[in-house]
Amino acid sequence: MLKTFDSFRSHCRSLKGKVLYTGTRSKPFHVEVEGNTVYFTPESSGKRRTANSEKTERVLALLAETNEWTPGTYQAISYHASYILAVAKTARV
């Protein structure tokens, strides 16, 4: 399981060009890394969203503790939890 932002970012690099889907609504998106920054781009809007390293690590830490895959659980931590969880799910396959 991904536990740090560095491991998350590294895994995101391996997903370049792939279409991922959020867990709850199955919305397609892409993930890409430029430098040290991770971006999520939903196909619906095409608008890139930046993954905050601290918030991403907090979501990953809580996921490791609870094994809860519902994005709403992390709503208070990060608006992008559905993307973070979708990426994390690909790492455990």
Side-chain angles (χ1 to χ4, degrees):
M1 181 169 286
L2 303 172
K3 294 186 178 183
T4 66
F5 187 74
D6 288 339
S7 64
F8 180 83
R9 182 178 51 229
S10 178
H11 182 63
C12 287
R13 282 191 176 98
S14 74
L15 299 172
K16 183 177 180 166
K18 295 183 180 179
V19 178
L20 302 172
Y21 296 87
T22 61
T24 304
R25 296 185 181 168
S26 294
K27 298 290 185 179
F29 72 98
H30 299 270
V31 63
E32 61 186 308
V33 180
E34 289 182 8
N36 289 326
T37 306
V38 175
Y39 297 99
F40 306 116
T41 307
E43 284 193 355
S44 60
S45 69
K47 181 180 175 186
R48 287 188 355 169
R49 294 152 161 70
T50 305
N52 176 287
S53 60
E54 291 174 14
K55 291 179 181 182
T56 299
E57 279 198 354
R58 287 176 54 201
V59 169
L60 295 172
L62 187 56
L63 174 63
E65 181 181 317
T66 65
N67 199 36
E68 175 59 55
W69 293 90
T70 308
T73 302
Y74 308 94
Q75 185 176 4
I77 299 172
S78 174
Y79 180 75
H80 305 306
S82 59
Y83 303 121
I84 297 166
L85 294 175
V87 170
K89 194 167 272 192
T90 66
R92 66 180 203 153
V93 173

